[in-house]
Amino acid sequence: MKKLYFLVLFFVLLCFSSCLDIEEQYNFKQDGSCSVVYGFDMGSAVSVLMNLMSDSVKETPQFSLVKDTTLNFYTALPDSTQQKMTAEEATMVKASDLHVKMDLKKSIMKVSINHVAKNAADLEYYLKHISKISMNSQLKSLQKGEKAPIGFNAQQLVAGEDYYTYEITPHKFYRIVDKEKFNAFLKKTQSAFSMAKAMLIDMPYKVILNFAKPVKKVNNPKAIVSADRKRVTLITNMDDVMKNPSLMNLKIDF
């Protein structure tokens, strides 16, 4: 039981500290709307942990869950969180879907949040509020009477989004790291990052933005602009970001 508790705790720490593959994708439409997908792949962390487990632990019910399901993100939040929301926040969350694909024995643990913003103002509101709503909120069980996946909580889905500031209009997408908030985030999670690094768990980070028309200007030198200038891709990893948070800054005019 102690071994199981340690492994569960360690997995929670890994997820909490964003020790996973992160991919954000923004698809801007001609009418000004934008679909946003936060994708999180914890397969590498799960693979390492599974190699450390004894056969008896691997056979426990907690590690035998298999899921491939989609549900409304609002219904995944506890009643206490729902009751604290404003009407605008509730509407925003109800427009988001949560997808979970999990098979721990096969080292599969993928989670994504999908949202469609009606316009630039709606997108900015979403990005500024989603982390606030999800922070410290334990998700409800995915099915009645069933425990939630190990280490699976709402904060891991939007980890880090709280340290960005946004400015979004119909012709620009600006996202800048607030270094004071970022340093506070690192202070809380440094030990977990160090543990993941020691276990050779990589933490890649990718942002993909697809535009309906060519972009005019991109300020990040690491950003890759497609030949038709309708796609901007930023690829880095959390190890480099910890050394230089500005790597995640994006100022795009389109």
Side-chain angles (χ1 to χ4, degrees):
M1 181 59 70
K2 288 184 178 180
K3 288 183 179 180
L4 179 58
Y5 174 80
F6 171 78
L7 290 169
V8 171
L9 177 60
F10 182 40
F11 189 46
V12 171
L13 288 174
L14 288 177
C15 293
F16 179 82
S17 60
S18 298
C19 299
L20 37 82
D21 297 2
I22 304 172
E23 181 174 311
E24 298 179 43
Q25 187 163 153
Y26 299 80
N27 296 300
F28 292 87
K29 307 299 182 181
Q30 194 68 47
D31 62 2
S33 64
C34 179
S35 62
V36 187
V37 180
Y38 287 139
F40 305 85
D41 187 344
M42 291 161 265
S44 58
V46 173
S47 179
V48 172
L49 292 176
M50 293 298 284
N51 288 333
L52 298 175
M53 296 176 189
S54 66
D55 291 339
S56 60
V57 172
K58 292 179 182 179
E59 296 305 317
T60 58
Q62 293 93 330
F63 290 93
S64 298
L65 288 174
V66 176
K67 282 197 173 294
D68 190 350
T69 185
T70 299
L71 66 160
N72 186 271
F73 193 37
Y74 182 82
T75 64
L77 296 174
D79 295 340
S80 58
T81 299
Q82 294 176 3
Q83 292 167 3
K84 294 177 182 178
M85 291 181 186
T86 63
E88 292 79 7
E89 290 172 340
T91 298
M92 175 193 74
V93 177
K94 288 176 181 178
S96 302
D97 289 327
L98 176 70
H99 180 250
V100 179
K101 185 174 183 179
M102 180 177 65
D103 188 337
L104 297 181
K105 290 187 176 182
K106 294 182 179 180
S107 298
I108 297 173
M109 182 61 179
K110 296 180 180 181
V111 182
S112 64
I113 299 179
N114 305 271
H115 178 80
V116 177
K118 298 186 295 293
N119 50 45
D122 190 26
L123 176 60
E124 182 171 328
Y125 182 88
Y126 173 76
L127 296 176
K128 286 181 176 179
H129 289 78
I130 188 64
S131 60
K132 170 189 171 184
I133 290 172
S134 299
M135 201 66 70
N136 298 322
S137 297
Q138 185 69 35
L139 292 176
K140 291 179 181 177
S141 299
L142 298 181
Q143 292 182 5
K144 187 175 181 181
E146 193 174 84
K147 292 183 178 180
I150 298 168
F152 184 48
N153 58 64
Q155 184 164 350
Q156 76 190 37
L157 303 178
V158 290
E161 294 305 308
D162 190 52
Y163 53 65
Y164 289 121
T165 59
Y166 293 91
E167 184 181 354
I168 302 172
T169 74
H171 300 291
K172 67 183 181 182
F173 178 92
Y174 289 6
R175 180 171 80 174
I176 306 298
V177 173
D178 183 317
K179 291 186 177 180
E180 185 175 336
K181 289 184 177 181
F182 183 78
N183 289 334
F185 168 76
L186 286 184
K187 187 175 181 180
K188 293 178 180 178
T189 58
Q190 186 65 55
S191 59
F193 274 122
S194 298
M195 188 182 298
K197 186 176 180 180
M199 297 181 70
L200 304 180
I201 298 176
D202 196 15
M203 295 168 280
Y205 179 93
K206 180 187 291 186
V207 184
I208 300 172
L209 302 102
N210 295 307
F211 296 91
K213 54 187 177 181
V215 301
K216 298 176 181 178
K217 184 180 179 181
V218 181
N219 81 323
N220 190 319
K222 286 182 67 67
I224 301 170
V225 182
S226 63
D228 62 2
R229 300 192 66 81
K230 290 185 177 182
R231 170 176 288 197
V232 177
T233 305
L234 176 62
I235 302 174
T236 183
N237 61 74
M238 289 304 295
D239 192 37
D240 289 340
V241 168
M242 285 187 285
K243 300 173 185 176
N244 181 15
S246 64
L247 289 175
M248 294 191 292
N249 290 346
L250 275 173
K251 286 188 175 182
I252 303 173
D253 294 286
F254 56 95

